[in-house]
Amino acid sequence: MITISRPLPGRRRLSPVPVVDAARPRGIIVKLLKYYMSSIIEVKDLVKQFGEFTAVDRISFSVAPGEIFAFLGPNGAGKSTTIKMLTTLLRPTQGSIRLGGADPVTDPEAVRRSFGIVFQDPSLDDELTAEENMEFHGMLYNMPRELRRERIEKLLNFVELWDRRKSLVKEFSGGMKRRLEIARGLLHHPKVIFLDEPTLGLDPQTRNHMWSYLQELNRTEGITVFFTTHYMEEADRVAGRIAIIDHGKIIASGSPDDLKRQTGKASLEDAFLEFTGHVIREEEANATDRLRQRAKMWGGGNRR
């Protein structure tokens, strides 16, 4: 259980208030988080340099508890580098980050336990069943067996995979694997879930179902959703707020309607192109890079 302290009116003494408890309804938790913590993610003057190259250039932004936040940008704009710093995979050159009140540099374990992540490329073990993949994840987070089993059943039912829990993941379609990854990322009651291109390569029907699951989980579990996508219609439909990063700097932020008004465009895609231009950008990390990143997060590799 994590406690957050805030001065009570007319008193100097701080009063600890419990805000995270598996037995407490998630809606109440989110209300408490919103009252006691104005930002679940707080980034100030963040910089990441690789030699002479500045990948992230003094960016600042915040995300409120329970918000659905889209982090958009062309390939090579700095999205992946920023997410790696938020999720303890890279050490910032300068600036500060707070995620759930903890610092990814000084307290990486606390930060890792406060978020779930779904990578762009599959990260499930195809030779295990759906249930075994979930069990392994729960054990990684030292979840008590009873709570782990309860959460597995609840989440697999929610993403409509409970009847396939004994099936090997290699037998699943791409959409089924994506749903399982989202369920796995939510197993340990994270405050934030990071989604890197969560619907890439999925057909429109599966994409719509995917966002229906995520929006419902956001509503019922109160989880903060931080996602990247190149599907502008998704960001327009789902995100409450958007930040656009390009050449390492945040060049625009606001609601989808705000961004369209700022550019005088009818669609978010046209607004995005107005901010970032029409030049085609190179791809960022490949699938192998991302697998190394996942191993590094839990393997204790050196972060540079």
Side-chain angles (χ1 to χ4, degrees), residues 20-81:
V20 178
D21 188 327
R24 187 183 294 269
R26 298 295 285 180
I28 295 174
I29 293 172
V30 176
K31 288 177 182 178
L32 286 169
L33 280 171
K34 286 180 177 178
Y35 183 76
Y36 287 96
M37 185 183 293
S38 59
S39 300
I40 192 80
I41 300 173
E42 186 77 37
V43 174
K44 292 184 180 179
D45 297 324
L46 191 63
V47 177
K48 182 60 185 178
Q49 295 173 320
F50 299 96
E52 298 293 316
F53 175 67
T54 301
V56 174
D57 191 0
R58 217 166 278 283
I59 66 171
S60 299
F61 65 90
S62 62
V63 181
E67 186 170 19
I68 299 180
F69 184 87
F71 195 56
L72 308 181
N75 291 326
K79 300 189 304 295
S80 293
T81 301

Side-chain angles (χ1 to χ4, degrees), residues 70-80 120 195-201 207 211 227-236 245 268-269 272-273 276 281-284 290:
F71 195 56
L72 308 181
N75 291 326
K79 300 189 304 295
S80 293
Q120 178 178 325
L195 304 163
D196 183 13
E197 300 282 347
T199 58
L200 183 69
R207 285 167 53 195
W211 281 116
F227 73 98
T228 70
T229 184
H230 287 301
Y231 297 120
M232 293 298 122
E233 74 278 9
E234 284 186 349
D236 196 0
I245 186 171
L268 183 61
E269 182 166 338
F272 178 83
L273 291 171
T276 62
R281 312 297 177 85
E282 293 183 2
E283 292 287 342
E284 294 181 272
R290 291 190 179 91

Side-chain angles (χ1 to χ4, degrees), residues 216-257:
E216 180 65 11
L217 285 166
N218 170 259
R219 186 184 68 80
T220 59
E221 299 255 329
I223 193 168
T224 303
V225 179
F226 185 110
F227 73 98
T228 70
T229 184
H230 287 301
Y231 297 120
M232 293 298 122
E233 74 278 9
E234 284 186 349
D236 196 0
R237 186 175 73 252
V238 174
R241 276 195 314 129
I242 293 169
I244 298 176
I245 186 171
D246 198 15
H247 301 294
K249 293 180 178 289
I250 290 181
I251 57 173
S253 63
S255 71
D257 287 342

Side-chain angles (χ1 to χ4, degrees), residues 79-98:
K79 300 189 304 295
S80 293
T81 301
T82 301
I83 290 175
K84 288 175 193 173
M85 288 188 282
L86 290 171
T87 57
T88 77
L89 291 168
L90 278 178
R91 183 183 294 270
T93 304
Q94 295 177 36
S96 66
I97 301 170
R98 290 291 182 275

Side-chain angles (χ1 to χ4, degrees), residues 232 236 244 252 255-278:
M232 293 298 122
D236 196 0
I244 298 176
S255 71
D257 287 342
D258 289 339
L259 299 180
K260 285 181 275 188
R261 274 195 298 269
Q262 289 173 32
T263 56
K265 301 296 183 180
S267 72
L268 183 61
E269 182 166 338
D270 287 339
F272 178 83
L273 291 171
E274 183 73 16
F275 283 120
T276 62
H278 293 261

